[in-house]
Amino acid sequence: MGSTMFPLRVTRNSLRFYRPSTYRQLATMATARKIQITPDNTGLWKVPQDESAAKKASELLQQDLEKHHVYFNDVGYHNHISHHILTLYGTGARPEHLQKAYDINASYQRPTMKLHEKVVKELKNWEEAKKLVGKEQYYPDFLAFFQNEIDKLGWEKVLSEYLFKGDEKSEDMLIRMVAGFFHPLLQLMYGVEWAQPAIVAMGLAQAAVHQDDLKKFFLATEEASKSSPTPMPSIASLLEDVRSNKKFATSAKSEDGRKICDRVFATAWNEIIQIASRVKVRPEELDEKTAEMYHTTIYEGASAAFSPGMEPKFDFFLIHHINVCPMFIYINKQDWIPIESKVRLLEWKIRMDLIQYGARASPPLSLENIASYVPKDKNVGSTDELLRRMHAVEDDGHAIKLFRAVLLGQTVSEKYEDKDWIKIKGDLWTKIKHLVVDSVEGSGARWVRAAGDLIAWEDAPGRAKDVNGVSEKLEQVHL
């Protein structure tokens, strides 16, 4: 695999890059069963780190691998410890921050489940394996299987075989990889970004025990897109199409459980296919469309954080669509991944962005609301100062993942500032960074769910009069 370039830090007028020796050299320090983080391996943001933090990160990640199950309860809530530790580490957090984050979240994890040695051997045969996918009790078996495969082939070849080959098993695994609000793909993202074979195996095993509920949607939109005109509209305009389609935009309510599969698909299928099939990325525009996807997802998420009279809060489900975006930076740089697979996965991501937006009651998209936002701290701090505040937030990792994703999204967007689809420039990025920090530091629930539905804001704190936070210019009309 050839060397690649990734953002170092955001500077005022330019984007700088670093060139790692190679991911292969980093990976030789780690195995499918041993996690080894080094001070110079800090992910895409490339902050300086030291041996004490690297040692602590390695220790905690190894404990998580060996001690914890993929879900922390019996309804499929995900274990986020590896995301949390690596995001903190990759944004400059100290060992004590890593330990505290681990201690808080290890306290409620479920222990690893029993390994079935016979099953591990049977998984090599896809005819046998496909009887077991989607069943969480086989997570330890899939984990051991993929660890064995990585031992034999290396993690890049394993990903080529089980995600990008184009046969029945890789098609099945790829669909499961983007299930569960992108959690398997998030897990995989941290594995490949930090070149950790064990975490790559965790991501593949996690995908294997997720459902394939999105299969019909992906295949239907791909078929419909063949007759769709090109070039595709801007992604922001497609979001507006979702919002203006009342059947789609109001198909799910706050009280609904599985909003996408049980409500959106059930009540607005034709409308979904008609809009989502207009997503059609040409290979030659992959880089720009990836940047547009990333940028627009941040614009959507920041817009959704506002509701009249309320303190700003990000939508819990929409942030997952922001947090997974760095994976697409990585994917596009890898010459061992076919261009067709890169394009396809990006199209799936954009289509899922549209679906999730509708499922969250299509909150208004407003650049004015973002521009009018008044940070609670009148002394606008540097990114490093904001990071120190984020490192002190006690949660399960969603907050620091969101902040890091915004930082990287800014670097990706700067290359295309002259494009019509760009919404956020200059000081607006600073406002969004403060918006993230202010919202997660605030009182009450940290997130809202289904931000376009006013019911979702009932437990959110109201904004006190004459208190900094949201400009009086804020005006929104909710469906």
Side-chain angles (χ1 to χ4, degrees):
M1 181 169 59
S3 60
T4 55
M5 300 181 73
F6 291 117
L8 173 58
R9 296 296 296 271
V10 177
T11 59
R12 181 172 294 275
N13 297 311
S14 66
L15 176 63
R16 294 161 53 204
F17 292 86
Y18 83 98
R19 186 182 297 277
S21 52
T22 66
Y23 269 99
R24 173 66 67 189
Q25 290 172 324
L26 293 173
T28 57
M29 300 179 181
T31 73
R33 289 167 179 79
K34 179 185 177 183
I35 294 173
Q36 182 67 52
I37 306 297
T38 58
D40 60 343
N41 183 12
T42 58
L44 296 177
W45 191 237
K46 195 54 181 178
V47 297
Q49 269 293 7
D50 58 27
E51 189 61 43
S52 65
K55 182 179 179 181
K56 177 58 68 173
S58 301
E59 169 194 326
L60 298 175
L61 291 166
Q62 189 70 32
Q63 289 181 29
D64 181 51
L65 171 67
E66 295 174 357
K67 293 182 177 182
H68 300 141
H69 186 50
V70 62
Y71 300 125
F72 67 76
N73 62 20
D74 59 5
V75 292
Y77 286 17
H78 299 84
N79 173 356
H80 297 90
I81 286 178
S82 52
H83 312 179
H84 198 179
I85 297 301
L86 284 172
T87 307
L88 287 169
Y89 177 78
T91 53
R94 306 309 307 135
E96 57 268 26
H97 296 126
L98 306 183
Q99 186 67 60
K100 187 172 185 179
Y102 181 86
D103 291 343
I104 290 171
N105 291 286
S107 64
Y108 57 84
Q109 300 299 327
R110 294 158 76 195
T112 55
M113 291 185 172
K114 181 181 178 181
L115 182 71
H116 310 92
E117 293 288 355
K118 182 181 177 182
V119 171
V120 176
K121 296 176 182 178
E122 292 174 346
L123 292 178
K124 185 64 177 177
N125 181 348
W126 174 245
E127 292 304 312
E128 294 299 320
K130 68 183 181 182
K131 300 174 186 177
L132 306 179
V133 290
K135 300 176 181 179
E136 74 159 295
Q137 65 267 35
Y138 296 109
Y139 173 78
D141 309 309
F142 279 107
L143 176 59
F145 170 74
F146 285 117
Q147 287 174 321
N148 293 341
E149 290 290 280
I150 289 171
D151 283 342
K152 291 184 291 185
L153 303 173
W155 60 266
E156 295 101 326
K157 289 184 178 179
V158 169
L159 292 180
S160 294
E161 177 70 21
Y162 288 93
L163 292 183
F164 305 124
K165 189 176 181 179
D167 60 1
E168 181 185 348
K169 72 173 182 299
S170 63
E171 287 286 287
D172 183 88
M173 283 290 294
L174 192 63
I175 289 170
R176 295 176 194 275
M177 183 61 71
V178 296
F181 305 106
F182 293 114
H183 277 96
L185 191 62
L186 276 161
Q187 187 73 33
L188 182 64
M189 178 180 82
Y190 286 95
V192 298
E193 186 177 339
W194 267 266
Q196 296 299 308
I199 299 178
V200 171
M202 293 169 76
L204 287 165
Q206 187 175 138
V209 298
H210 274 71
Q211 303 303 313
D212 63 350
D213 296 340
L214 299 171
K215 181 177 180 179
K216 180 181 177 182
F217 167 68
F218 285 139
L219 297 183
T221 50
E222 284 184 335
E223 184 62 30
S225 72
K226 294 177 182 177
S227 59
S228 182
T230 55
M232 65 176 275
S234 73
I235 300 171
S237 71
L238 289 174
L239 289 171
E240 293 292 356
D241 287 346
V242 171
R243 179 170 164 76
S244 63
N245 188 305
K246 294 299 186 282
K247 188 174 181 181
F248 189 170
T250 61
S251 58
K253 302 298 182 184
S254 290
E255 62 270 18
D256 292 330
R258 298 189 338 140
K259 291 180 173 58
I260 292 177
C261 294
D262 293 346
R263 294 294 300 167
V264 179
F265 285 169
T267 61
W269 179 259
N270 292 334
E271 290 76 12
I272 292 166
I273 300 302
Q274 190 275 325
I275 296 174
S277 63
R278 297 173 70 191
V279 175
K280 196 168 185 179
V281 176
R282 296 192 300 264
E284 62 271 21
E285 60 185 9
L286 175 66
D287 186 77
E288 181 178 344
K289 282 298 180 185
T290 299
E292 183 185 353
M293 176 277 294
Y294 202 149
H295 183 94
T296 306
T297 305
I298 293 173
Y299 166 63
E300 173 193 355
S303 294
F306 296 98
S307 187
M310 311 302 291
E311 286 294 309
K313 296 288 180 182
F314 279 80
D315 185 290
F316 179 73
F317 296 99
L318 295 182
I319 65 168
H320 287 77
H321 290 243
I322 300 173
N323 294 351
V324 77
C325 284
M327 179 60 164
F328 294 84
I329 303 175
Y330 173 85
I331 288 173
N332 286 357
K333 299 294 184 181
Q334 308 313 306
D335 56 13
W336 54 271
I337 300 176
I339 184 68
E340 296 81 8
S341 296
K342 297 175 183 178
V343 167
R344 189 185 195 199
L345 200 54
L346 176 60
E347 289 179 338
W348 285 10
K349 169 60 166 62
I350 297 169
R351 289 169 184 151
M352 283 305 300
D353 291 343
L354 299 174
I355 292 292
Q356 195 66 261
Y357 178 63
R360 304 304 143 191
S362 307
L365 304 177
S366 172
L367 192 63
E368 182 180 356
N369 290 339
I370 299 171
S372 300
Y373 181 67
V374 180
K376 291 183 179 181
D377 185 353
K378 291 185 178 181
N379 298 316
V380 177
S382 67
T383 294
D384 287 343
E385 291 171 339
L386 293 176
L387 276 170
R388 282 192 285 273
R389 290 167 63 184
M390 291 299 298
H391 292 162
V393 172
E394 296 183 7
D395 78 332
D396 57 2
H398 287 96
I400 188 62
K401 285 190 289 185
L402 175 60
F403 192 82
R404 185 186 88 120
V406 169
L407 297 181
L408 292 169
Q410 180 179 359
T411 69
V412 171
S413 299
E414 286 176 342
K415 179 180 176 181
Y416 294 102
E417 281 200 342
D418 61 338
K419 297 294 182 177
D420 292 341
W421 50 262
I422 284 285
K423 305 289 185 181
I424 308 162
K425 296 180 181 180
D427 289 344
L428 290 183
W429 285 109
T430 301
K431 294 206 171 193
I432 291 176
K433 283 181 271 190
H434 275 269
L435 177 64
V436 173
V437 177
D438 291 346
S439 68
V440 301
E441 285 183 339
S443 61
R446 185 161 280 133
W447 318 102
V448 295
R449 291 159 169 81
D453 188 344
L454 287 176
I455 295 175
W457 292 85
E458 288 182 346
D459 295 329
R463 177 173 56 88
K465 188 175 181 180
D466 299 325
V467 173
N468 290 331
V470 183
S471 169
E472 292 293 344
K473 294 181 180 179
L474 175 64
E475 293 182 3
Q476 291 194 24
V477 177
H478 288 259
L479 295 171

